[in-house]
């Protein structure tokens, strides 16, 4: 309480000085424990490539995790940290960039910066023919698809061009998704390489014909 502080200060100053009041009368201190924990890093970036160039694989962060220290009430609510926003244009080759981290006041981060690695390569167009599988075929009924295979056209990095094959894809149509009055089923994928960019699927739907077995 400031009344006690008033008496203490009055005894420490000369008699010519008179301390009559201290405001506020009560000082309140909020105490919080200090904790440290490990959190993941999320790159906050925007990349624009020159034509036919793209990422060979996702941007990597080094290190992937950092230590954040601060009041428990603050740190307990933090599960990841972002980098400072960075924008890159006309990219056509691999590069690295050291970027600072963004973190709340009253906290410390170690390390305070991370390295972002951008593996870039030239992409080219390729196409493969793959069979269309049928899901949820009713019992006692034959279902024929026309055509029974489709062509997938996509962009792929030069380093993977010779490796990619039809078995890396799996296309299907779902008989349960047919609509009244239509004899077409939309082609879907449940398997395809993550490092390609699909340009088009020809055709995007196939006709079906049913007959009793």
């Amino acid at each position: 309480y400031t009344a006690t502080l008033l008496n203490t200060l009055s005894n420490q100053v000369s008699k010519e000085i008179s301390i009559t009041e201290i405001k506020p009368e009560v000082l309140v201190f909020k105490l919080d424990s200090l904790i440290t924990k490990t959190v993941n890093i999320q790159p906050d970036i925007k990349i624009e490539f020159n034509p036919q160039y793209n990422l060979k694989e996702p941007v990597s962060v080094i290190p992937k995790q950092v230590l954040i220290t601060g009041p428990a009430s603050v740190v307990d609510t933090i599960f990841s940290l972002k980098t400072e926003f960075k924008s890159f244009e006309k990219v056509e080759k691999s590069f690295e960039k050291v970027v600072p981290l963004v973190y709340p006041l009253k906290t410390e981060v170690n390390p305070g910066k991370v390295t972002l690695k951008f593996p870039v390569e030239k992409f080219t167009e390729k196409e493969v023919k793959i069979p269309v599988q049928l899901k949820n075929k009713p019992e006692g009924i034959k279902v024929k698809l026309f055509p029974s295979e489709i062509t997938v056209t996509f962009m792929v990095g030069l380093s993977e061009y010779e490796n990619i094959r039809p078995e890396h894809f799996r296309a299907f149509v779902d008989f349960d998704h047919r609509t009244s009055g239509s004899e077409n089923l939309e082609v879907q994928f449940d398997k395809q390489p993550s490092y390609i960019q699909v340009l088009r699927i020809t055709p995007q739907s196939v006709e079906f014909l049913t007959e009793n077995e």
Side-chain angles (χ1 to χ4, degrees), residues 41 43-45 59-63 83-86 88 95-101 111-118:
I41 303 302
D44 188 7
I45 54 177
V59 175
S60 59
V61 183
I62 303 174
T83 63
E84 285 188 0
F85 176 75
K86 298 293 180 181
F88 307 96
F95 67 100
E96 298 181 5
K97 184 72 174 180
V98 177
V99 293
L101 299 176
K113 297 180 180 180
V114 297
T115 300
L116 302 181
K117 289 191 173 184
F118 301 81

Side-chain angles (χ1 to χ4, degrees), residues 61-75:
V61 183
I62 303 174
K64 294 181 180 180
Q65 298 178 319
V66 298
L67 295 175
I68 181 169
T69 301
S73 59
V74 176
V75 175

Side-chain angles (χ1 to χ4, degrees), residues 9-198:
L9 292 176
S10 296
N11 294 331
Q12 294 180 1
V13 299
S14 64
K15 295 181 179 180
E16 287 80 11
I17 298 176
S18 175
I19 301 176
T20 60
E21 186 178 22
I22 296 177
K23 290 185 176 181
E25 294 184 355
V26 177
L27 299 176
V28 178
F29 296 92
K30 183 178 180 181
L31 302 178
D32 197 354
S33 58
L34 203 65
I35 64 171
T36 298
K37 77 175 185 180
T38 302
V39 294
N40 295 325
I41 303 302
Q42 297 180 348
D44 188 7
I45 54 177
K46 178 182 178 182
I47 314 175
E48 294 182 1
F49 298 92
N50 276 339
Q52 290 190 291
Y53 288 87
N54 211 314
L55 288 174
K56 178 181 178 181
E57 55 192 48
V59 175
S60 59
V61 183
I62 303 174
K64 294 181 180 180
Q65 298 178 319
V66 298
L67 295 175
I68 181 169
T69 301
S73 59
V74 176
V75 175
D76 280 342
T77 65
I78 300 172
F79 301 98
S80 65
L81 294 175
K82 288 186 176 182
T83 63
E84 285 188 0
F85 176 75
K86 298 293 180 181
S87 180
F88 307 96
E89 299 178 349
K90 298 181 179 180
V91 175
E92 62 177 24
K93 61 181 179 180
S94 299
F95 67 100
E96 298 181 5
K97 184 72 174 180
V98 177
V99 293
L101 299 176
V102 178
Y103 49 93
L105 295 174
K106 302 179 182 179
T107 63
E108 295 181 357
V109 171
N110 185 31
K113 297 180 180 180
V114 297
T115 300
L116 302 181
K117 289 191 173 184
F118 301 81
V120 178
E121 72 172 341
K122 191 172 185 178
F123 277 56
T124 189
E125 188 173 305
K126 185 174 183 176
E127 65 179 36
V128 295
K129 293 184 180 295
I130 59 175
V132 180
Q133 300 178 10
L134 176 65
K135 289 188 176 182
N136 297 314
K137 184 186 81 67
E139 292 185 8
I141 294 179
K142 286 185 178 180
V143 180
K144 293 184 177 181
L145 303 177
F146 302 96
S148 59
E149 66 177 16
I150 60 171
T151 300
V152 183
T153 306
F154 52 91
M155 298 293 289
V156 61
L158 295 180
S159 63
E160 294 291 342
Y161 184 88
E162 296 297 336
N163 298 329
I164 197 164
R165 298 183 298 276
E167 52 265 35
H168 292 142
F169 299 81
R170 186 165 58 238
F172 71 93
V173 291
D174 192 334
F175 197 74
D176 284 349
H177 290 175
R178 67 192 186 283
T179 56
S180 178
S182 174
E183 296 180 349
N184 288 73
L185 294 169
E186 182 182 356
V187 176
Q188 303 177 64
F189 287 86
D190 57 10
K191 177 184 176 183
Q192 71 179 53
S194 60
Y195 49 84
I196 69 166
Q197 303 166 31
V198 175

